[in-house]
Amino acid sequence: MPAFVPYLLHTLFPPTVLRPTEIGADVLIVATGVIIVTVLTRQKKWGWLWREWLTTVDHKRIAVMYLIAAIAMLFRGGVDALMMRTNLALPSVHFISAEEYNEVFTTHGTIMIFFMAMPLIFALFNAVIPLMIGARDVAFPRLNAVSFWLFAFGALLFNISFVVGGSPNAGWTAYPPLTELAFNPGPGENYYFLALFISGIGTTITGINFLVTILRMRAPGMTLMRMPLFAWTTLCTSALILFAFPPLTVALGTSLLDRLFHASFYTLGHGGMPMMYVNLFWLFGHPEVYIVVLPAFGIFSEVVPTFSRKPLFGYTAMVVSVVAIMVLSYGTWVHHFFTMGAGPSVNVFFGLSTMLIAIPTGVKIFNWIFTMWGGRIRLTVPMLYQLAFIPTFVVGGATGVLLATVPVDYQLHNTYFLVAHFHNTLIGGTVFGLLSGLYYWWPKMFGYKLDERQGKWAFWLFFLGFWVTFGPQYLLGLEGMTRRLWTYPLGLGWHALNLISTIGAYGMGAGFVVLVYNVVWSMQHGERDLTGDPWDGRTLEWSLPSPAPEYNFARIPVVTERDAWWAMKARGETTAVRVRPDEISALELPRNSAMPFFLGLGFFVLGFGLTFRWWWIAGLGLAGILGAMLWAGFDYEDRKHVHAEEIRRIEAALGRLEA
Amino acid sequence: MSVHRAPDAEEHLPYLEAHFESETRFPWIKVVGYAGSLVLTLVAFWAVSAHWMSPTALLAFILGLAVAQAALQLGVFMHLRESRGPSWQIAGLGLGLFIAVGLVGMSIWIMLFKSGVS
Ligand code: HEM
Ligand SMILES: [Cu+2]
């Protein structure tokens, strides 16, 4: 046996990835892989997978791929959560070791924010925004695929850390000195920095893409103030991404230089300043929490009018408050490190600016309530999530204002009170919002509805499970239980509340299982959406068949007011979406491309090589990246021509052709 | 981008008739710009590793290089001089500058306490 084999084995599979949970994960991964490969081979689906999905640039298909990835990541992050809660269920449980606990909470937080919430948001952006504003695709379809593959390969790189080489263990915030090479020599933190770096590039590109799409590609007549609110929140989210991700990139890049090339930006011993990392991270981190919650605000602003049969109350105030939130959220980041000691004037300034955000947020809450007021409310699943969101998010915001009070924060910082606060906003806001949007737009994406009865079961499990899990955590925080605690002795009075919290967590786990069952069942038996407008919707996406054809609109609609589709229906002009054969002209559509996939792969290889400091692998990846970029630069065949006859045929099959 | 509309599409959106600087000759400006940005980067690297300026002078020098670098990137690669109708990109640039200067300024303010501590 050559000498490098044991070295290789030890580097790739150190003892930290050979614990029972990791072996279990190995078995699961191999089993799933074998099943997928067998099914694809048996049914001869490889070509189909490659041509129709992996190389697609169609925003609707990219949306589906984001969605699948996000649900897989929700599963992984959820299992991590249950492992933590199991360890905390009772005093002195040693279900997993302290080291493994560190890895699990790090992975949980990172995955839930970057690889669950973000892709789920992008899934809905992609699925809905072009249809909603009357466009045939996003502004840069091929870059859209690049975004997806950078995200997907970044996520893959992060996920393999669990079974190859060892997981990161310094929390989702990855502060130095916890990440300093001297104290944390394994590959884990390299995985973290590189994976976020790669997927962060993808996210930035997505931000640019949707900014341009919304500013440039709206249907004629759709002025900014006639845009649906989801388009507004997407616009503001994209702007936040554009300005918030660069500081993160800088923080990640400098940390990488420290770890890979012995720079000392953050190494105290060599005159570095770890506090600068904290500053940079939260310069990104606070806008990030609004990046994940603004889309939820947008979703509710679509769901509430539809299911109350009323236009949104106070449209202008809603727009102004979204923009205000966007601007204000750049100026509050110090509330994440009041205890660093920057002094009273800094802390007071940022405490007050944080509290200011509660005002536009409150405006929005009232406007949703006034929209429902006197409306004819239908209690569908999307609406239930909205109704659950209001009280839950209000509590999250209120505890946020408590934490923004500097003296209070000195007591509560990094206790379970904080943990409860941000889950209150992230689950009650982001997750409830995204689930609401998913149920709402599911028929548009797939052509069938998710079963309502099962959906309500999943809803109640999530909603009640949420409060049983996180309600007690506020009390635990007040009793002094700190976050990221591996285990605790009997006699501190924490055990009853912890047990309740764990029970709630398993309730949410059950909710996830019901959700997946709901999806699988509905694929077969769900009510088919033949009209394209199953909810009696108000905005343009409901004027299209479900799912929409590749080119979305055979003829781009002309918009004359807000809630364009509702207005057309009110005037009895729904036939206006039908087209006469002679109105259809040939189209140029973006052509599929394998370049984004290979670009992502190149980044993956580069990231893997750098993680283990195997420079030649990194070089290989870099060559792949440059190759893919050259390919992209000289590929002038990026469009395909679709004949009018072809479109006429599709429209006729959809029953939309005027005789 | 006009990818999504056929040349004979009936709708009429003014921005689709944008005019870009078309390049018929070899793009020398881009090549020179690229070389220039590499030089600016290398000079910054050299200035730090050569250790012959006082820290304050070094910071000022690097800051100057950074501004030059940004100007070069915007002018040569970011289509700053091209426009489709009103030059929105200038407004965007102003906003970007405003946010960047604000964030950097506030960060300096936040980090000032370090000098009192250490
Ligand atoms: C009115 C609204 C809000 C206020 C006043 C507020 C305030 C705060 C404050 C003061 C902290 C720091 C507490 C500490 O570390 O001791 C904090 C932490 C946090 N908040 Fe909020 N928040 C608000 C809304 C949100 C929203 C909408 C989200 C996400 C969707 C969110 C997510 C988080 C997260 C993730 C953390 C902690 C992260 C960590 O330390 O790991 N917050 N919030
Ligand atoms: Cu914050």
Side-chain angles (χ1 to χ4, degrees):
Chain A
M1 193 162 63
F4 68 86
V5 172
Y7 160 77
L8 206 62
L9 281 179
H10 185 76
T11 310
L12 292 178
F13 304 104
T16 48
V17 305
L18 299 174
R19 293 173 302 216
T21 31
E22 279 81 3
I23 301 284
D26 288 330
V27 173
L28 205 71
I29 293 169
V30 172
T32 327
V34 169
I35 293 177
I36 293 178
V37 170
T38 322
V39 170
L40 285 173
T41 312
R42 276 265 190 79
Q43 310 208 342
K44 298 202 170 56
K45 288 281 191 192
W46 285 104
W48 164 82
L49 183 69
W50 179 253
R51 280 189 310 274
E52 304 275 313
W53 292 95
L54 303 189
T55 59
T56 187
V57 295
D58 180 347
H59 66 98
K60 299 180 285 299
R61 294 191 170 216
I62 290 177
V64 174
M65 295 196 290
Y66 270 123
L67 177 63
I68 294 171
I71 293 194
M73 288 295 96
L74 181 59
F75 173 74
R76 162 105 207 252
V79 172
D80 287 337
L82 290 184
M83 283 165 70
M84 290 188 278
R85 280 315 320 168
T86 307
N87 215 55
L88 293 174
L90 295 168
S92 307
V93 175
H94 294 180
F95 168 65
I96 49 179
S97 67
E99 292 75 40
E100 189 166 13
Y101 191 89
N102 289 348
E103 296 170 6
V104 169
F105 74 65
T106 302
T107 310
H108 166 78
T110 311
I111 284 198
M112 285 302 199
I113 297 269
F114 293 100
F115 302 128
M116 189 285 285
M118 297 298 283
L120 204 48
I121 287 165
F122 295 155
L124 289 180
F125 282 5
N126 271 294
V128 178
I129 288 296
L131 307 184
M132 195 174 232
I133 63 172
R136 292 219 165 94
D137 204 317
V138 293
F140 310 113
R142 194 169 282 193
L143 272 183
N144 200 20
V146 167
S147 287
F148 172 77
W149 286 110
L150 289 181
F151 149 73
F153 279 109
L156 187 66
L157 187 65
F158 189 81
N159 274 280
I160 60 170
S161 68
F162 190 55
V163 291
V164 181
S167 297
N169 55 5
W172 82 283
T173 46
Y175 286 177
L178 294 176
T179 55
E180 242 176 69
L181 194 58
F183 307 119
N184 201 339
E189 288 304 323
N190 295 350
Y191 270 123
Y192 171 95
F193 289 124
L194 286 156
L196 292 198
F197 204 101
I198 294 170
S199 64
I201 302 173
T203 305
T204 311
I205 299 176
T206 304
I208 296 171
N209 216 337
F210 280 91
L211 263 179
V212 179
T213 305
I214 293 178
L215 289 178
R216 289 283 187 187
M217 301 193 46
R218 278 165 288 133
M222 184 178 278
T223 56
L224 283 177
M225 289 310 274
R226 283 181 192 157
M227 276 199 316
L229 245 122
F230 185 58
W232 264 107
T233 57
T234 303
L235 186 70
C236 292
T237 307
S238 305
L240 277 175
I241 287 177
L242 195 61
F243 290 112
F245 269 70
L248 176 70
T249 311
V250 171
L252 298 172
T254 41
S255 300
L256 267 174
L257 288 176
D258 278 8
R259 288 184 58 86
L260 295 180
F261 304 109
H262 306 280
S264 38
F265 288 100
Y266 308 124
T267 40
L268 259 183
H270 298 121
M273 204 207 289
M275 285 177 276
M276 195 49 168
Y277 176 91
V278 177
N279 183 58
L280 284 173
F281 184 87
W282 288 111
L283 206 48
F284 145 81
H286 186 80
E288 169 69 11
V289 306
Y290 281 92
I291 289 170
V292 296
V293 89
L294 283 187
F297 289 176
I299 290 164
F300 290 132
S301 305
E302 303 302 324
V303 164
V304 173
T306 299
F307 295 108
S308 311
R309 283 180 155 274
K310 275 176 64 187
L312 187 68
F313 182 91
Y315 176 93
T316 315
M318 285 299 229
V319 171
V320 171
S321 52
V322 175
V323 175
I325 290 175
M326 174 184 81
V327 174
L328 286 175
S329 70
Y330 282 121
T332 67
W333 75 94
V334 174
H335 67 221
H336 294 275
F337 49 95
F338 283 146
T339 52
M340 196 163 88
S345 44
V346 171
N347 279 0
V348 166
F349 176 88
F350 283 94
L352 288 176
S353 66
T354 303
M355 293 179 193
L356 267 184
I357 293 211
I359 296 171
T361 313
V363 169
K364 300 189 75 71
I365 300 271
F366 281 117
N367 280 348
W368 288 314
I369 294 175
F370 289 143
T371 308
M372 288 186 270
W373 197 271
R376 255 185 285 151
I377 295 180
R378 282 177 287 164
L379 283 183
T380 55
V381 176
M383 196 61 182
L384 284 178
Y385 277 110
Q386 148 73 15
L387 291 175
F389 154 81
I390 288 188
T392 312
F393 195 79
V394 165
V395 173
T399 55
V401 173
L402 288 178
L403 288 170
T405 317
V406 181
V408 176
D409 188 64
Y410 266 70
Q411 293 297 315
L412 294 175
H413 180 54
N414 280 355
T415 65
Y416 261 81
F417 192 92
L418 168 73
V419 175
H421 155 69
F422 68 71
H423 283 89
N424 228 176
T425 51
L426 285 167
I427 297 181
T430 306
V431 175
F432 284 5
L434 292 172
L435 286 174
S436 174
L438 210 54
Y439 275 87
Y440 181 56
W441 281 305
W442 193 278
K444 188 49 61 192
M445 292 174 77
F446 296 101
Y448 60 87
K449 271 172 136 174
L450 290 176
D451 183 68
E452 282 277 309
R453 205 169 56 89
Q454 293 162 8
K456 285 180 185 166
W457 271 98
F459 164 77
W460 283 108
L461 284 167
F462 273 130
F463 178 52
L464 296 178
F466 168 80
W467 276 108
V468 176
T469 312
F470 293 100
Q473 293 188 5
Y474 281 115
L475 303 176
L476 283 169
L478 292 173
E479 288 179 16
M481 181 166 165
T482 50
R483 79 192 287 197
R484 297 177 176 170
L485 198 65
W486 164 56
T487 189
Y488 54 93
L490 189 68
L492 291 172
W494 296 347
H495 49 279
L497 289 170
N498 268 306
L499 185 61
I500 297 174
S501 180
T502 300
I503 292 172
Y506 276 91
M508 294 182 80
F512 178 77
V513 174
V514 176
L515 176 75
V516 172
Y517 178 77
N518 189 359
V519 171
V520 175
W521 188 91
S522 306
M523 276 181 196
Q524 301 286 324
H525 312 287
E527 184 190 328
R528 303 290 125 171
D529 171 21
L530 301 175
T531 60
D533 187 13
W535 308 114
D536 200 3
R538 313 178 70 85
T539 39
L540 281 179
E541 73 272 25
W542 304 111
S543 72
L544 290 168
S546 300
E550 187 186 355
Y551 48 80
N552 298 351
F553 295 90
R555 177 167 41 90
I556 300 285
V558 176
V559 174
T560 52
E561 60 221 279
R562 267 176 221 154
D563 288 350
W565 174 236
W566 185 261
M568 278 191 219
K569 288 194 283 193
R571 290 196 301 262
E573 286 173 4
T574 48
T575 49
V577 299
R578 297 162 73 92
V579 277
R580 284 197 319 275
D582 60 312
E583 283 177 320
I584 292 179
S585 48
L587 289 178
E588 284 198 341
L589 295 178
R591 184 199 290 278
N592 285 1
S593 168
M595 182 278 289
F597 180 87
F598 286 109
L599 187 65
L601 189 64
F603 270 100
F604 177 80
V605 175
L606 172 70
F608 189 81
L610 287 181
T611 298
F612 290 93
R613 306 159 139 265
W614 289 335
W615 308 119
W616 60 277
I617 294 192
L620 216 65
L622 199 61
I625 295 169
L626 292 177
M629 278 163 47
L630 279 177
W631 174 4
F634 290 99
D635 179 11
Y636 296 108
E637 300 281 294
D638 59 350
R639 303 152 193 213
K640 65 179 180 199
H641 197 78
V642 184
H643 290 291
E645 201 40 55
E646 166 88 4
I647 295 167
R648 261 176 231 133
R649 200 179 48 71
I650 298 175
E651 290 292 305
L654 292 167
R656 303 194 138 227
L657 209 57
E658 208 80 64
Chain B
M1 291 226 329
S2 57
V3 177
H4 317 291
R5 287 162 206 278
D8 55 342
E10 56 187 303
E11 331 65 58
H12 216 64
L13 296 182
Y15 62 78
L16 289 176
E17 284 140 38
H19 289 289
F20 300 98
E21 288 174 4
S22 59
E23 256 153 4
T24 42
R25 288 167 304 132
F26 188 74
W28 280 113
I29 300 226
K30 301 250 151 70
V31 176
V32 172
Y34 181 57
S37 64
L38 285 184
V39 169
L40 286 171
T41 311
L42 290 177
V43 169
F45 200 76
W46 164 81
V48 174
S49 44
H51 292 293
W52 59 267
M53 275 186 246
S54 74
T56 325
L58 184 65
L59 276 180
F61 182 63
I62 293 187
L63 205 66
L65 289 179
V67 171
Q69 176 82 268
L72 188 139
Q73 299 279 337
L74 288 167
V76 178
F77 298 112
M78 305 307 282
H79 308 275
L80 193 67
R81 292 159 304 156
E82 301 170 19
S83 80
R84 352 175 162 197
S87 358
W88 287 108
Q89 71 271 39
I90 302 293
L93 192 69
L95 181 69
L97 266 179
F98 174 73
I99 293 181
V101 170
L103 295 187
V104 171
M106 286 200 280
S107 292
I108 292 175
W109 180 42
I110 294 163
M111 286 298 156
L112 272 182
F113 80 103
K114 260 274 295 173
S115 48
V117 178
S118 58

